Amino acid sequence: MNRRYVLVVDDEPNMRRVLEIMLGAAGYAVFSAANGREALALLRSAPVDLLITDLRMPEMDGIELLRQMRADGIDAPVIMITAHGTVETAVAAMKFGASDYILRPFDIDALELVIARVLHEAQLARQNTFLREELNRGWDAFVGAGTAMQAVYELIRQMAATKASVMISGETGTGKELAARAIHNASSRAGKLFVPINCAAIPADILEAELFGYEKGAFTGAVKERIGKFELANEGTIFLDELTEMPMPLQTKLLRILQDSTLERLGGNRRVELDLRVIAATNRNPREAVRDGYLREDLYYRLNVFPIALPPLRERRADIADLVKHFIAKHRARADISNAVSAEVLARLGAYAWPGNVRELENMVERALVLCGAGPLRAEHFPIDVEAVIVASSLAAPLGPLLPAVEALETGMIERALLESGGNKPKAAALLQISERTLWYKLKKYLN
Ligand SMILES: Nc1ncnc2c1ncn2[C@@H]1O[C@H](COP(=O)(O)OP(=O)(O)OP(=O)(O)O)[C@@H](O)[C@H]1O
Ligand SMILES: [Mg+2]
């Protein structure tokens, strides 16, 4: 159990003394202030889990203290102590955001009960905010019915039923985080926290403290103990995004956690039991990451029990139409915008290489919805540079003989045009902006 810090504010020295002794004996770390000014100075410099203040004090009363600390952005819960006969004022204090009040004289058991309840509620409130933020980040359903994604959905279903670690790989924007959340939400841990942490976004020295938590005094600046992401995710799921960017020594510690299911906070020697599901993600190829020294081999084997590789969007172009519809519905501000788009738009989107994958497509749809103003969505609202299409494809192709590469590009685009037009050749030719005759000639050349 974490030691809680309680600040007692009372202008009577005897009362402060009594509370210090009683609360100290009950296991709280107590410090005290003789007036509102001192209290505010302490609140600004020290971590306080709970403030207990006398309501009636000279200079600044309890309500004014409460108002000023809230104005300072300090959200520690507050309990007001008040004499008989001023219950009305105590109720007013609660309207200002005090958590509870207690009438004088009181006995220590009653006070302890109130303290325990207020601290518990504050912790629940914190967890709820976290949960709500998680939900608001929008767990969307996966969209795309192509065979490549069907295989992914099946894996997610299978994995959700187990506790096994999962390694998700895929280029940027392919939906790795979406997949991780889907596994968590479909698992028996869905009611517990899904805790994401991006190993690439946090400096190495801070990352360790973030993951493992620390005891008070573990290092300069550790004025108060803090639980880490692993402990926060206990009984839930931790999502280690960009795992290959985690420094090697930390990867070693992670492996130990996976093996022992226990953890030690930094600067401590207590072992905390953990029941964790670990999902890791990387946009490197995991095997190459091992070869190139970005990922410990034993960690790779440990996590790769269930690998999921998310295919890049350019390899599942059949899903583009559904994704576009989905993102129009998700982002349209006007109800009159239909989520049906023209064949011309789809042809344009289908020809692009999508280096940023689904995220890039989503961004483009969002932008198109702004660009179209008050009118309908048209092809020009999806500004894909035709040059960029060709450049992107040629960059993707290894340097070598030109003609086979051009042929591959041509056949690919012709196939898509035919798919798009339902096999209707005049329509396909129009999509490709070539004559029917040219299309006929190319079909004969490539597709027989
Ligand atoms: N199949 C899909 N259906 C619907 N939305 C998707 C799909 N795949 C990805 N998205 C959406 O695309 C965006 C990017 O997905 P996500 O953040 O999961 O990608 P990522 O692989 O984690 O990318 P990065 O490597 O850049 O972190 C999100 O808004 C997500 O909701
Ligand atoms: Mg991501």
Side-chain angles (χ1 to χ4, degrees):
M1 181 58 190
N2 294 357
R3 202 160 150 83
R4 305 303 200 137
Y5 289 72
V6 178
L7 172 59
V8 171
V9 192
D10 203 310
D11 53 318
E12 290 169 43
N14 280 340
M15 195 61 202
R16 288 201 303 274
R17 190 83 201 107
V18 167
L19 282 171
E20 274 174 21
I21 292 168
M22 294 199 301
L23 294 176
Y28 296 101
V30 191
F31 37 116
S32 59
N35 54 49
R37 210 172 10 86
E38 265 182 32
L40 284 170
L42 269 167
L43 283 166
R44 287 179 193 126
S45 60
V48 170
D49 296 303
L50 171 70
L51 183 113
I52 302 179
T53 178
D54 194 5
L55 178 62
R56 212 155 2 145
M57 293 183 290
E59 288 175 58
M60 191 190 294
D61 68 8
I63 292 185
E64 180 57 20
L65 169 58
L66 173 60
R67 209 188 53 71
Q68 290 202 22
M69 67 184 267
R70 292 293 186 252
D72 268 10
I74 299 163
D75 58 3
V78 172
I79 297 175
M80 293 278 173
I81 300 181
T82 181
H84 268 309
T86 50
V87 177
E88 267 79 85
T89 331
V91 171
M94 293 186 66
K95 286 199 184 121
F96 276 95
S99 297
D100 212 334
Y101 65 89
I102 186 154
L103 295 178
R104 229 203 293 260
F106 52 82
D107 63 53
I108 188 64
D109 292 338
L111 180 62
E112 265 187 47
L113 272 178
V114 172
I115 292 177
R117 188 169 46 70
V118 166
L119 284 174
H120 181 65
E121 280 167 7
Q123 187 189 347
L124 280 185
R126 255 198 313 277
Q127 263 179 9
N128 282 339
T129 325
F130 189 82
L131 276 175
R132 218 169 23 246
E133 277 169 10
E134 279 302 296
L135 290 176
N136 285 345
R137 286 178 45 181
W139 138 251
D140 285 6
F142 268 103
V143 172
T147 42
M149 288 309 286
Q150 290 296 343
V152 170
Y153 305 149
E154 188 49 36
L155 277 174
I156 288 177
R157 255 193 300 278
Q158 287 172 2
M159 260 166 252
T162 75
K163 196 197 152 180
S165 304
V166 181
M167 175 81 122
I168 304 175
S169 61
E171 292 176 12
T172 178
T174 46
K176 295 185 293 295
E177 182 153 353
L178 198 60
R181 286 175 192 277
I183 294 170
H184 173 77
N185 288 333
S187 77
S188 61
R189 295 165 179 261
K192 304 288 171 151
L193 293 184
F194 174 88
V195 179
I197 182 159
N198 187 330
C199 304
I202 301 175
D205 47 336
I206 300 178
L207 182 60
E208 183 171 18
E210 272 296 304
L211 285 171
F212 288 82
Y214 46 84
E215 303 287 356
K216 181 182 175 187
F219 46 84
T220 334
V223 287
K224 189 185 161 186
E225 67 199 356
R226 181 179 157 86
I227 76 163
K229 297 279 189 220
F230 284 130
E231 269 184 85
L232 193 60
N234 204 0
E235 297 181 353
T237 304
I238 186 151
F239 176 52
L240 299 169
D241 205 357
E242 312 225 25
L243 174 72
T244 50
E245 312 315 302
M246 182 187 278
M248 281 295 158
L250 259 188
Q251 291 191 18
T252 311
K253 286 189 81 174
L254 171 61
L255 187 64
R256 271 192 50 203
I257 289 195
L258 292 177
Q259 280 160 351
D260 305 349
S261 298
T262 62
L263 144 155
E264 234 165 59
R265 292 187 194 158
L266 304 186
N269 46 21
R270 264 185 306 154
R271 300 206 74 84
V272 180
E273 294 284 321
L274 282 185
D275 169 21
L276 270 187
R277 139 91 24 97
V278 178
I279 303 182
T282 172
N283 47 33
R284 297 177 189 269
N285 173 321
R287 237 179 262 282
E288 285 172 18
V290 171
R291 186 198 63 201
D292 300 341
Y294 289 101
L295 182 62
R296 277 186 64 121
E297 189 169 16
D298 39 13
L299 186 58
Y300 165 77
Y301 284 116
R302 182 98 201 175
L303 291 174
N304 216 44
V305 181
F306 279 115
I308 302 184
L310 288 174
L313 187 56
R314 62 182 173 281
E315 287 174 15
R316 48 175 159 125
R317 293 176 192 270
D319 289 345
I320 289 178
D322 282 342
L323 283 165
V324 170
K325 274 190 199 162
H326 171 72
F327 291 136
I328 292 175
K330 181 172 167 189
H331 295 292
R332 72 182 151 199
R334 292 161 30 211
D336 66 310
I337 291 188
S338 152
N339 63 0
V341 289
S342 66
E344 198 192 346
V345 168
L346 284 178
R348 186 177 271 233
L349 300 181
Y352 184 48
W354 298 110
N357 294 294
V358 183
R359 177 178 297 113
E360 188 180 7
L361 177 60
E362 179 165 8
N363 290 343
M364 184 168 300
V365 170
E366 260 193 282
R367 200 171 51 211
L369 286 167
V370 173
L371 290 178
C372 76
L377 273 175
R378 286 191 309 270
E380 74 248 35
H381 302 132
F382 296 84
I384 291 179
D385 194 348
V386 181
E387 305 271 328
V389 175
I390 294 163
V391 170
S393 320
S394 64
L395 279 180
L399 196 55
L402 179 65
L403 289 182
V406 171
E407 285 179 8
L409 181 68
E410 274 195 351
T411 35
M413 285 183 66
I414 289 170
E415 275 175 351
R416 279 205 308 284
L418 285 169
L419 208 67
E420 204 53 64
S421 62
N424 180 324
K425 291 196 187 82
K427 256 198 200 165
L431 284 174
L432 296 166
Q433 299 180 19
I434 55 177
S435 69
E436 276 179 62
R437 207 186 141 72
T438 309
L439 177 63
W440 178 81
Y441 165 78
K442 286 184 187 297
L443 278 174
K444 215 166 129 83
K445 179 174 161 204
Y446 292 136
L447 300 179
N448 287 325

